[in-house]
Amino acid sequence: MAVQTQAVSSKAGGDRESLLRRALIGDALFCAVAGAAMIGGSSRISQFTGLTPNWVPAVIGVGVLLWGVEVGYLGRREALSANTAKLVIGADIAWVVVSYGVLVSGGLDLTTAGKWTIGILAEIVALFAVVKYLGLRRMRS
């Protein structure tokens, strides 16, 4: 009987973590695809967005890809850490703030498509941050 109680308790903990875990893994997959696309299509993305020189999207893509690997690793760990989740959410928020800072400042000579791309990507990152936050709240309850 004690074994069954322990299994149920473990299952309940897993259910509470499922939203956060899925959000982390979804974010990791999104980062992997976006990073790989930025690396592989650096020249075209540079022309499309106005991010110059041509290697800039590739460098950003490497960072996004590495970030995705880390977030995926965190999402696949057996035990999720609330503090680590907070750091990931904070990094998402920082990405959104910097993205909109770039758009508002006009410091980069972006094309209209580039501005839209940065804005849309910032909104996707914001959505992942919200879902991770909700998952963190569920995990804590």
Side-chain angles (χ1 to χ4, degrees), residues 1-60:
M1 187 76 167
V3 173
Q4 286 179 330
T5 305
Q6 188 176 19
V8 170
S9 173
S10 175
K11 171 97 170 94
D15 288 346
R16 285 194 305 266
E17 293 178 350
S18 67
L19 180 60
L20 177 58
R21 190 175 303 280
R22 287 179 181 159
L24 288 168
I25 291 174
D27 187 12
L29 292 172
F30 177 73
C31 288
V33 170
M38 292 177 81
I39 294 165
S42 183
S43 180
R44 288 183 185 154
I45 290 171
S46 179
Q47 292 171 354
F48 180 75
T49 62
L51 283 173
T52 56
N54 288 351
W55 54 264
V56 170
V59 170
I60 295 169

Side-chain angles (χ1 to χ4, degrees), residues 1 18-19 27 39 65-66 77 88-89 104 112 130 136:
M1 187 76 167
S18 67
L19 180 60
D27 187 12
I39 294 165
L65 186 61
L66 292 174
R77 290 179 61 184
V88 172
I89 293 166
V104 169
T112 301
V130 168
L136 179 61

Side-chain angles (χ1 to χ4, degrees), residues 66-133:
L66 292 174
W67 175 252
V69 169
E70 179 65 21
V71 171
Y73 168 75
L74 295 172
R76 301 286 299 166
R77 290 179 61 184
E78 189 171 326
L80 293 176
S81 162
N83 287 334
T84 302
K86 287 180 193 176
L87 288 173
V88 172
I89 293 166
D92 287 346
I93 293 168
W95 179 276
V96 172
V97 169
V98 169
S99 295
Y100 280 105
V102 165
L103 293 176
V104 169
S105 74
L108 297 177
D109 191 23
L110 298 170
T111 64
T112 301
K115 292 174 186 176
W116 275 98
T117 301
I118 289 174
I120 290 168
L121 290 174
E123 292 299 314
I124 292 169
V125 172
L127 180 61
F128 274 117
V130 168
V131 175
K132 287 177 208 163
Y133 173 75

